[in-house]
Amino acid sequence: MIREDFGTNFKWGVSTAAYQIEGAHNIDGKGKSIWDEFANTKGKIFKNQNANASCNFYEHYSSDIALLYELNIPNFRFSLSWSRIMPTGRKVVNERGIDFYNRVIDFCLELGIEPWITLYHWDLPLDLEKKGGWTNRDIVDWFGDYTSVCIKAFGDRVKNWMVINEPMVFTGAGYFLGVHAPGKKGLTRFLSAVHHATLCQAEGGRVIRSLGSNFNIGTTFSCSHIEPLHSTEKDHQAAAKADALLNRMFVEPLIGLGYPVNDLKILQRMETYIKSGDEQKLSFDMDFIGIQNYTREIVTHSYFMPFLKAKIIKADKRKVERTLMNWEIYPESIYHILKKFNDYKNIPQIIVTENGAAFEDHITDGKVHDEKRIKYLQDHISQVLRAKKEGVNVNGYFVWTLIDNFEWAEGFYPRFGLIYVNFSTNQRIIKSSGYWYRQFLQNINSKPLVQKSSEYLI
Ligand code: IFM
């Protein structure tokens, strides 16, 4: 497999997220987000770590973007911190927050790197959570206003926008299980958060479109290929329910199919939150759908699982090869997911907006030899090519992620980066996987001749 097999228009990149890399949690007028609060609450995160400083991308952005340039990576996906731009989430705009993202965007453009911006990657302003956060329907207006501020500030230079990152994860982990910020639990909160996030993903698209016709608008979903443990009817039904919950619940209303209530009866209880006219408000014609795949899930029937009656069998219980996240390494999953999304009639284009792996990384003689990550990436990219050759309209692949960072409830332990970060000194070391990606992407397009980018390294 060589990069040229994908054609010249295929978008290659890396993805990151504000809370995971920026640090500078209280600098230059930034307000608190739910993650600032949650991660600084004892007992919530592995070893009580937090991302107050993280990799300090806030200060190191120019050297980190220079590393992207060094690695020949032409597209950079990052998210905006809502509370850096609007400290309380509403009305007042923090110009120093806007200035920071202007610096990031302008420097990308100077180096010939295309910015891809996610509006929401889980770090809701804390003041909005105090008003109910995603469980309050007013969030549709709050989010619309925030979107408008961002597009007006950056839309003159940024073409590619993603509305929301992995709504299933932040509603499920944050409002049902309570293991992510804001740490809320229960079906009622979950279902209201789901409905409001689904309204927001479409509303965000509409706001962007209303502000310009040339934007490339998408939104991103976590998704895993799902198989039943046994070939019994009960396990097949369990797998169908898990599929509706994990893969279909957000995309189907977006493309006009409504919620997958037939396969997931519990969604009938969402009626409490649905108002007349919502069906239309839930849908929007995105220019692309971002799929984010890491593994497959094996599912079995279980009487003991409330609501779903289905249970995921984790990779360690199945004794299969896995990453540090206890996710099975199963490259065919990305192929099946691409085929599945391609089967929907009205998805114009798919981009793999995240794929990657966490492994133990060790420094030997100043180098990090992460051969397992290279193999993981190669095997998954091959499966993307397999899908593309079979006619799937997939037009991009972004590695998760550029630099090691804060992996939410797991803290700094799982390292996903192409670049190793020493979190005490902030030193960066390009891993073998970074060099491999650089080689894979070489001559991708003519890069602008800039002053030697290592001069930006601090
Ligand atoms: O780190 C996360 C990211 O924020 C969202 N997608 C999955 C990644 C790995 O868990």
Side-chain angles (χ1 to χ4, degrees), residues 187-391:
L187 187 67
T188 308
R189 289 195 181 102
F190 173 63
L191 292 179
S192 61
V194 166
H195 186 53
H196 302 142
T198 314
L199 284 168
C200 281
Q201 72 187 1
E203 180 62 13
R206 278 187 289 274
V207 171
I208 303 172
R209 186 87 85 226
S210 73
L211 292 170
S213 51
N214 288 330
F215 293 122
N216 185 29
I217 310 171
T219 197
T220 74
F221 300 112
S222 50
C223 29
S224 300
H225 175 57
I226 290 176
E227 289 178 27
L229 179 64
H230 303 294
S231 199
T232 59
E233 202 183 325
K234 280 210 154 99
D235 277 9
H236 276 282
Q237 281 168 356
K241 279 191 266 184
D243 183 46
L245 180 73
L246 299 179
N247 294 326
R248 299 170 51 202
M249 189 165 64
F250 288 92
V251 68
E252 294 196 357
L254 180 69
I255 60 175
L257 301 177
Y259 291 112
V261 181
N262 288 343
D263 285 310
L264 197 57
K265 296 276 184 278
I266 196 80
L267 295 181
Q268 284 167 349
R269 298 205 204 167
M270 198 124 81
E271 272 169 17
T272 326
Y273 310 103
I274 301 180
K275 293 194 175 166
S276 98
D278 274 5
E279 206 172 306
Q280 287 74 44
K281 289 187 185 153
L282 289 171
S283 71
F284 177 75
D285 288 333
M286 293 285 172
D287 297 311
F288 70 93
I289 291 297
I291 67 127
Q292 318 203 141
N293 172 260
Y294 291 84
T295 188
R296 78 166 161 177
E297 302 292 4
I298 301 293
V299 173
T300 189
H301 172 79
S302 163
Y303 283 110
F304 302 107
M305 292 306 281
F307 311 119
L308 211 54
K309 305 278 177 251
K311 187 171 90 180
I312 286 174
I313 313 290
K314 300 301 283 180
D316 53 345
K317 298 278 179 309
R318 292 185 276 122
K319 301 199 173 21
V320 290
E321 215 195 331
R322 58 190 197 270
T323 69
L324 279 191
M325 299 293 283
N326 195 12
W327 295 342
E328 179 186 5
I329 300 174
Y330 189 76
E332 289 89 339
S333 177
I334 203 164
Y335 164 82
H336 292 300
I337 284 293
L338 285 168
K339 296 284 273 191
K340 180 182 178 73
F341 275 67
N342 196 59
D343 282 346
Y344 287 120
K345 295 286 166 284
N346 31 5
I347 291 183
Q349 195 182 115
I350 304 171
I351 293 184
V352 177
T353 38
E354 284 184 24
N355 172 244
F359 294 110
E360 294 272 3
D361 288 326
H362 300 286
I363 304 178
T364 318
D365 297 332
K367 297 204 164 83
V368 179
H369 299 290
D370 57 337
E371 304 306 323
K372 282 190 186 170
R373 186 171 291 103
I374 296 177
K375 180 164 177 6
Y376 180 100
L377 295 174
Q378 285 173 332
D379 290 350
H380 282 76
I381 292 172
S382 295
Q383 292 294 328
V384 175
L385 183 59
R386 176 180 167 207
K388 190 170 169 58
K389 281 187 173 159
E390 290 177 22

Side-chain angles (χ1 to χ4, degrees), residues 17 20 121-122 165-166 292 294 325 327 354 400 407-408 416:
Q20 294 179 271
H121 199 125
W122 307 355
N165 185 71
E166 297 183 354
Q292 318 203 141
Y294 291 84
M325 299 293 283
W327 295 342
E354 284 184 24
W400 182 268
E407 178 54 30
W408 309 109
F416 277 88

Side-chain angles (χ1 to χ4, degrees), residues 153-205:
F154 312 121
D156 57 335
R157 285 150 295 151
V158 178
K159 180 171 182 241
N160 309 292
W161 292 90
M162 283 143 289
V163 181
I164 287 184
N165 185 71
E166 297 183 354
M168 181 55 217
V169 179
F170 79 80
T171 55
Y175 288 89
F176 183 69
L177 298 173
V179 296
H180 275 193
K184 301 278 164 63
K185 289 185 187 168
L187 187 67
T188 308
R189 289 195 181 102
F190 173 63
L191 292 179
S192 61
V194 166
H195 186 53
H196 302 142
T198 314
L199 284 168
C200 281
Q201 72 187 1
E203 180 62 13

